[in-house]
Amino acid sequence: MDYLLSLAVDPAAWIALLALIAMEVVLGIDNLIFIAILTNRLPEHQREIGRRIGIGLALIMRLLLLGSIAFIVKLTNPLFSVLGQEFSSRDLILITGGLFLVWKATKEIHHRVDLDPGPDLFDRKNVSLGFAAAMGQIVMLDVVFSVDSIITAVGMTEHVPIMIIAVVVAVLTMLLAANPLSNFIIANPTIVMLALGFLLMIGTALIAEGFGVKVPKGYIYAAMAFSALVEGLNMIERRSRRSRPD
């Protein structure tokens, strides 16, 4: 109890908490985009529950990982080396998750640009993904994003209560943003390609990080923000054209 009270009156602890919340919310964007895109493939009556389960699983995984800090720290220990490059459990998780994201995004981009793509991930009339399959893919990426999130938290502060509060706030933010984001993607088809491009970039960054090439996340999110701004301007321009009298 005294430990918690000392944290509550420590200005440095509050600064660390605010910084970690901001970082966890930003990291959660990756997770949320994937969940929003994948659940849009489900039948309409299953989408909201799918999003809630996916985000709930993300919270559970993060809290479980926080409860085993010693295990998380060991994930960064080298397991083996290839041509002088050391690989840890975290590296292998990031590489696997990155490859999955690149494969998934590339496959869906191909479906959208192919003249005869067959069932489309974002075509609500052609729903082919089962609920269990969607949850399985969400769980796989939840693991990847959770490991990255918690290792980032461990690197920013040594206080577990601060980590727990930051993670819970970030996941609650994801929960509040899930439905609006998914509905926005459905209502604006051009956003779909942009979101897939984001996933492709995030997957590539995860693979690079797994191979020891650190890509500053600030660059990634700055590129995402700039792309979103340009697409926002395009949307405003299209609406202006439609509202003009002939």
Side-chain angles (χ1 to χ4, degrees):
M1 189 65 178
D2 292 338
Y3 170 64
L4 295 177
L5 288 175
S6 66
L7 283 180
V9 298
D10 185 0
W14 283 97
I15 293 172
L17 175 61
L18 294 175
L20 189 53
I21 287 175
M23 179 62 70
E24 291 294 324
V25 169
V26 171
L27 290 175
I29 292 173
D30 308 345
N31 208 165
L32 183 57
I33 288 175
F34 182 80
I35 291 174
I37 287 178
L38 198 59
T39 52
N40 279 351
R41 188 176 177 183
L42 295 170
E44 190 168 353
H45 67 281
Q46 292 182 340
R47 290 176 192 165
E48 184 171 355
I49 186 64
R51 292 173 202 134
R52 292 183 183 278
I53 291 176
I55 295 171
L57 289 171
L59 175 60
I60 292 171
M61 288 179 191
R62 283 163 169 77
L63 294 179
L64 287 175
L65 291 173
L66 278 175
S68 54
I69 295 296
F71 170 74
I72 287 297
V73 172
K74 288 180 181 178
L75 287 179
T76 59
N77 295 335
L79 293 177
F80 59 90
S81 63
V82 177
L83 299 176
Q85 174 65 48
E86 294 182 335
F87 292 92
S88 64
S89 298
R90 174 178 179 267
D91 294 332
L92 298 179
I93 291 172
L94 292 179
I95 292 171
T96 302
L99 288 171
F100 177 76
L101 269 183
V102 169
W103 169 78
K104 194 72 179 173
T106 302
K107 177 182 175 183
E108 301 309 328
I109 289 173
H110 172 72
H111 281 178
R112 294 191 67 81
V113 300
D114 194 344
L115 293 177
D116 186 21
D120 191 300
L121 175 66
F122 304 99
D123 187 348
R124 288 171 286 173
K125 297 179 181 178
N126 294 311
V127 178
S128 59
L129 185 67
F131 189 82
M135 290 301 101
Q137 294 182 39
I138 288 174
V139 166
M140 178 181 175
L141 265 296
D142 276 350
V143 170
V144 176
F145 290 127
S146 295
V147 169
D148 195 30
S149 170
I150 299 307
I151 288 179
T152 299
V154 171
M156 291 183 67
T157 181
E158 60 182 13
H159 302 297
V160 176
I162 290 178
M163 297 181 204
I164 292 175
I165 293 172
V167 165
V168 170
V169 170
V171 175
L172 288 177
T173 302
M174 289 169 59
L175 188 62
L176 292 173
N179 283 345
L181 177 63
S182 298
N183 293 334
F184 184 73
I185 287 175
I186 291 174
N188 298 274
T190 57
I191 293 294
V192 173
M193 191 64 76
L194 183 64
L196 288 171
F198 288 166
L199 293 181
L200 192 60
M201 181 171 61
I202 292 165
T204 303
L206 289 176
I207 294 171
E209 191 169 346
F211 279 99
V213 180
K214 186 69 175 178
V215 180
K217 287 186 169 62
Y219 293 165
I220 296 174
Y221 291 111
M224 291 172 64
F226 180 76
S227 300
L229 175 62
V230 172
E231 180 59 27
L233 293 174
N234 284 332
M235 291 171 59
I236 293 172
E237 192 240 355
R238 287 194 295 269
R239 289 177 182 175
S240 297
R241 283 185 178 181
R242 288 197 297 266
S243 62
R244 289 175 190 165
D246 293 335

